[in-house]
Amino acid sequence: MDFTSESAVTNADKTYIQLRNDIVEGRITAGTKLSEVELSTNYSVSRAVIREAINRLMACHLVERKANVGARVVTLSPEGLEQLYQVRESLEGMAARLAAKHMTDQEIADLQQLLNAHFDKQVQAGESYYQEAGDVDFHYRIIQGSKNQHLISVLVNGLYHLVRMYRVQLGMAGPRVTTAFDEHLHIVKAIANRDEELAEILMRRHILYSKNNVQTKLLNHSNLKGQ
Amino acid sequence: MDFTSESAVTNADKTYIQLRNDIVEGRITAGTKLSEVELSTNYSVSRAVIREAINRLMACHLVERKANVGARVVTLSPEGLEQLYQVRESLEGMAARLAAKHMTDQEIADLQQLLNAHFDKQVQAGESYYQEAGDVDFHYRIIQGSKNQHLISVLVNGLYHLVRMYRVQLGMAGPRVTTAFDEHLHIVKAIANRDEELAEILMRRHILYSKNNVQTKLLNHSNLKGQ
DNA sequence: TTTTAAAACTTTGTCGACAATATAGAGAGC
DNA sequence: GCTCTCTATATTGTCGACAAAGTTTTAAAA
């Protein structure tokens, strides 16, 4: 699940990752003010490393800071979700295009095998499996397959944490399991055929569908909370 | 030129901007090791603010850091340029699409007027004008016109500094002046017609052309340096 | 002469204290 | 009773010093 296998050598690294997970997974709720002293006692580190962690969280749009005032965890909103998925559509579409160009035959074979494995598990677990891990795995591999460092960095180190935050906090389970799987199949097929154009189009459409799905969920969510 | 009109309230802000400019404009050459103590004396601030500045520079891909070793200014390469422009193509294409949807009529009118003004200056200055300021202005407005915060942040606060670095350090003057202007005209026309699809296609093509132009320049550049 | 290991040194990572800015509260004036 | 100002308090921004990790130098052994 922590699909980046990021190496945390320094103390600031570890604190950043901890804090990030606590935010993404809702243990620190959206909109909360982040007090540096409070955090430094909670995480048992000095304010300096907390500040560095917060700076990194700003870089991936998980917190916002106003000078001399402080940092707050971002708040989730339908507009934010819309905009996030627009960027995903754009970047991951390009990633699929580049993956069709740059992935090795071996990598493509591995990807197909991954889908097969997920399909098996899905059958076993009664369709409830292919919701989180499988999807993330799939998208992550294609992003890596683009072999584009900027793309990889912006998506994996940046936006994907926010994506995960929306997913977790909206309690992503639900339909769209099987259909998403089929879409993944078609995308891989296009990549295997080295059809860059089609790979991009299919990926964009896939994310567009995904957006609509998540958006309705968000609306239900806020409706429930509103009552 | 400093088209972001970013507000630098804190000392770290100012130092970040100074350092960034010194890197982008080549006063600190690509590949240089960034010594924290040396910088802190040069910029007359403590190591803490230097560290914060370096962290922000990492976020926009202008420096890379290895833990316990130090930070280096990135080195420019044909591959890096290619990858950078692939991301630009993707994101700015989406920006144009969204601009066609979300820009107000007034904003579009302003944009057309901007192009006209640039055209006049271009005639006066004998075609050498429309190389930097005009181009940046144009792209910046469309990015803003997308009204997508993530898009704006990734491009303006992130990748565009690297784009500028390539431009400055390759000494961007040269042809492609008039053709780029025409392409801009067509893009604005598509936006004015609210033709999202076409706006995206034209912008992507525009950046693709631009990439090819810059790439040949980079090749010449490295050839010259190699001799 | 080459290789290896240890010690000296340089650089980064972390910390606690001080300075500057913003927020909250009390009190005076209207 | 309300508003405005001034003061007190709390929080962030900045600094210099110490700790830890990496790098270079030096010297000894093969």
Side-chain angles (χ1 to χ4, degrees):
Chain A
M1 181 53 51
D2 83 295
F3 48 86
T4 69
S5 70
E6 49 198 350
S7 55
V9 2
T10 177
N11 236 329
D13 294 338
K14 296 170 195 164
T15 307
Y16 159 66
I17 294 176
Q18 274 188 262
L19 237 172
R20 197 188 62 202
N21 285 336
D22 287 345
I23 290 173
V24 166
E25 288 156 26
R27 283 182 293 279
I28 300 177
T29 54
T32 307
K33 168 118 196 286
L34 293 179
S35 160
E36 295 184 356
V37 288
E38 187 182 336
L39 290 177
S40 76
T41 57
N42 284 354
Y43 291 81
S44 311
V45 287
S46 85
R47 265 187 61 216
V49 343
I50 291 291
R51 278 181 71 82
E52 180 165 340
I54 288 181
N55 281 331
R56 293 201 218 171
L57 290 172
M58 287 201 323
C60 54
H61 305 253
L62 286 175
V63 314
E64 292 163 344
R65 146 179 287 164
K66 242 174 32 183
N68 287 315
V69 173
R72 308 194 81 88
V73 178
V74 296
T75 59
L76 306 185
S77 70
E79 300 78 33
L81 186 83
E82 166 103 18
Q83 295 184 5
L84 181 59
Y85 270 69
Q86 285 167 346
V87 175
R88 270 194 77 190
E89 180 186 333
S90 162
L91 284 179
E92 293 204 43
M94 177 59 78
R97 169 184 289 270
L98 296 175
K101 192 175 190 179
H102 294 311
M103 278 180 93
T104 66
D105 292 340
Q106 183 60 52
E107 287 170 333
I108 295 175
D110 289 350
L111 186 55
Q112 287 171 321
Q113 195 179 333
L114 182 82
L115 280 193
N116 287 338
H118 282 157
F119 180 73
D120 293 342
K121 281 197 187 172
Q122 183 186 341
V123 171
Q124 288 175 20
E127 104 159 6
S128 72
Y129 172 74
Y130 200 72
Q131 58 187 29
E132 176 72 48
D135 191 60
V136 170
D137 259 20
F138 174 79
H139 285 270
Y140 180 59
R141 292 225 186 181
I142 289 187
I143 293 167
Q144 294 289 347
S146 75
K147 312 279 171 80
N148 184 312
Q149 273 316 116
H150 291 293
L151 210 44
I152 293 170
S153 173
V154 170
L155 282 173
V156 174
N157 303 319
L159 300 178
Y160 251 64
H161 299 296
L162 234 190
V163 174
R164 231 181 103 217
M165 184 167 169
Y166 272 100
R167 279 191 169 163
V168 171
Q169 308 220 0
L170 296 183
M172 282 291 100
R176 206 182 134 55
V177 180
T178 53
T179 57
F181 183 82
D182 283 348
E183 290 162 22
H184 287 187
L185 269 184
H186 286 111
I187 292 172
V188 172
K189 208 168 284 179
I191 291 177
N193 290 334
R194 305 296 183 184
D195 190 335
E196 303 176 25
E197 195 81 21
L198 185 61
E200 174 165 13
I201 290 174
L202 290 179
M203 178 61 88
R204 285 182 69 155
R205 194 182 295 177
H206 170 59
I207 290 175
L208 212 58
Y209 292 158
S210 179
K211 181 184 77 174
N212 293 335
N213 182 256
V214 177
Q215 270 182 333
T216 60
K217 218 147 245 155
L218 177 59
L219 289 181
N220 292 340
H221 190 77
S222 47
N223 282 349
L224 288 176
K225 288 184 78 170
Q227 290 176 348
Chain B
M1 180 56 50
D2 84 294
F3 48 87
T4 69
S5 70
E6 48 198 350
S7 56
V9 4
T10 176
N11 235 329
D13 294 340
K14 296 169 194 163
T15 306
Y16 160 66
I17 293 175
Q18 274 188 261
L19 236 172
R20 197 187 63 201
N21 285 336
D22 288 345
I23 289 174
V24 166
E25 288 156 26
R27 284 182 292 279
I28 300 177
T29 54
T32 306
K33 168 113 196 287
L34 293 179
S35 161
E36 295 184 357
V37 287
E38 187 183 335
L39 290 177
S40 76
T41 58
N42 284 354
Y43 291 82
S44 311
V45 288
S46 85
R47 267 186 61 218
V49 343
I50 291 291
R51 279 181 70 82
E52 179 164 341
I54 288 180
N55 281 333
R56 293 203 217 171
L57 290 171
M58 288 202 321
C60 55
H61 305 254
L62 286 175
V63 315
E64 292 163 345
R65 147 179 287 165
K66 240 171 38 180
N68 287 315
V69 173
R72 307 193 83 88
V73 178
V74 295
T75 60
L76 307 184
S77 71
E79 299 78 35
L81 185 84
E82 166 102 19
Q83 295 183 6
L84 180 60
Y85 270 68
Q86 285 168 346
V87 176
R88 269 194 77 190
E89 180 187 332
S90 163
L91 284 180
E92 293 202 44
M94 177 58 78
R97 168 185 288 271
L98 295 175
K101 192 175 190 178
H102 292 137
M103 278 180 91
T104 66
D105 292 340
Q106 183 60 52
E107 287 170 331
I108 295 175
D110 289 349
L111 185 56
Q112 288 171 321
Q113 194 180 334
L114 182 81
L115 279 191
N116 288 338
H118 282 156
F119 180 72
D120 294 341
K121 280 196 188 175
Q122 181 187 343
V123 171
Q124 289 174 20
E127 102 159 10
S128 71
Y129 172 73
Y130 200 71
Q131 57 188 29
E132 177 71 49
D135 190 60
V136 170
D137 259 20
F138 174 80
H139 285 270
Y140 180 59
R141 292 228 186 178
I142 290 187
I143 293 167
Q144 293 290 347
S146 76
K147 313 278 172 81
N148 183 314
Q149 272 316 115
H150 292 293
L151 211 43
I152 293 170
S153 173
V154 171
L155 281 173
V156 174
N157 303 319
L159 300 178
Y160 251 64
H161 299 297
L162 234 191
V163 174
R164 229 181 104 216
M165 184 168 170
Y166 272 100
R167 279 190 168 162
V168 171
Q169 308 218 1
L170 297 182
M172 283 291 99
R176 204 180 135 55
V177 180
T178 52
T179 58
F181 183 81
D182 282 349
E183 289 162 22
H184 287 186
L185 269 184
H186 286 109
I187 292 171
V188 172
K189 207 168 287 178
I191 291 176
N193 289 334
R194 305 295 183 183
D195 189 335
E196 304 177 24
E197 195 81 20
L198 185 61
E200 174 164 14
I201 290 174
L202 290 179
M203 177 62 88
R204 286 182 69 153
R205 195 182 291 177
H206 170 58
I207 289 175
L208 212 57
Y209 292 157
S210 178
K211 180 184 76 173
N212 294 334
N213 182 257
V214 177
Q215 270 182 332
T216 61
K217 218 148 246 153
L218 177 58
L219 289 180
N220 293 339
H221 191 76
S222 47
N223 283 347
L224 288 177
K225 288 185 78 170
Q227 292 176 349

